[in-house]
Amino acid sequence: CCAMLFWASAAGGDSRVTTVRAVCFPLLFGIVTAFNQMFVKACGMVVGNGFQAVHREPVEVAIVLVTVVVLSVGSIRVLSSALHYLENRVFVPAQFVLQAMFMELQGAIFFREFSYMPLLNRVCFMLGCAICVATVFLVSV
């Protein structure tokens, strides 16, 4: 995304830069926020285990905590830059949809959140997500 922003600004033309920003900022914010939530879940697992991992693996726990702080600051930075260049009606719905998709994807891959759900519940959940995305689209138009 950063390379696309640099290419668009070097090539010139405000319309190209605006289009690339409209694509890159929500995508970048969604990715950073989803990774941040993944590391927050990892911190929650440490707390849920009664901080036993702190004594067994202090370096790994410190890496997770530092990563949470860095990703939190990074998401705030991307958010402020995006809202500086884009209108709320463009950025907020796009970042919401991408953030939700990335968070569900990382939950399914890393935490196997859907492994215990029956097929009917999975289908209803996906249908609910699709309705939510369609509603956000309708609100933003």
Side-chain angles (χ1 to χ4, degrees):
C1 282
C2 293
M4 287 177 64
L5 285 170
F6 178 75
W7 169 77
S9 61
D14 282 342
S15 64
R16 183 180 294 171
V17 173
T18 304
T19 304
V20 171
R21 283 180 183 157
V23 171
C24 289
F25 278 128
L27 183 64
L28 193 59
F29 185 74
I31 290 170
V32 170
T33 306
F35 275 111
N36 189 23
Q37 291 300 320
M38 182 175 69
F39 282 101
V40 167
K41 286 180 183 179
C43 288
M45 292 168 70
V46 169
V47 171
N49 291 332
F51 292 99
Q52 295 172 1
V54 174
H55 301 294
R56 288 190 320 250
E57 299 146 351
V59 174
E60 288 85 356
V61 171
I63 289 172
V64 168
L65 290 175
V66 168
T67 305
V68 166
V69 171
V70 168
L71 287 174
S72 297
V73 170
S75 66
I76 291 170
R77 176 72 177 121
V78 171
L79 177 66
S80 64
S81 296
L83 291 176
H84 175 74
Y85 291 111
L86 299 172
E87 296 179 19
N88 282 342
R89 67 181 181 88
V90 173
F91 177 73
V92 173
Q95 69 85 19
F96 172 77
V97 168
L98 290 168
Q99 179 184 359
M101 281 186 351
F102 286 131
M103 287 180 61
E104 294 305 323
L105 185 63
Q106 61 96 4
I109 293 172
F110 295 113
F111 297 103
R112 300 179 193 248
E113 292 175 346
F114 299 115
S115 62
Y116 300 108
M117 291 175 69
L119 180 62
L120 179 63
N121 288 0
R122 290 181 196 176
V123 170
C124 289
F125 179 77
M126 295 300 172
L127 182 64
C129 287
I131 291 171
C132 182
V133 168
T135 304
V136 168
F137 173 75
L138 291 175
V139 167
S140 66
V141 172

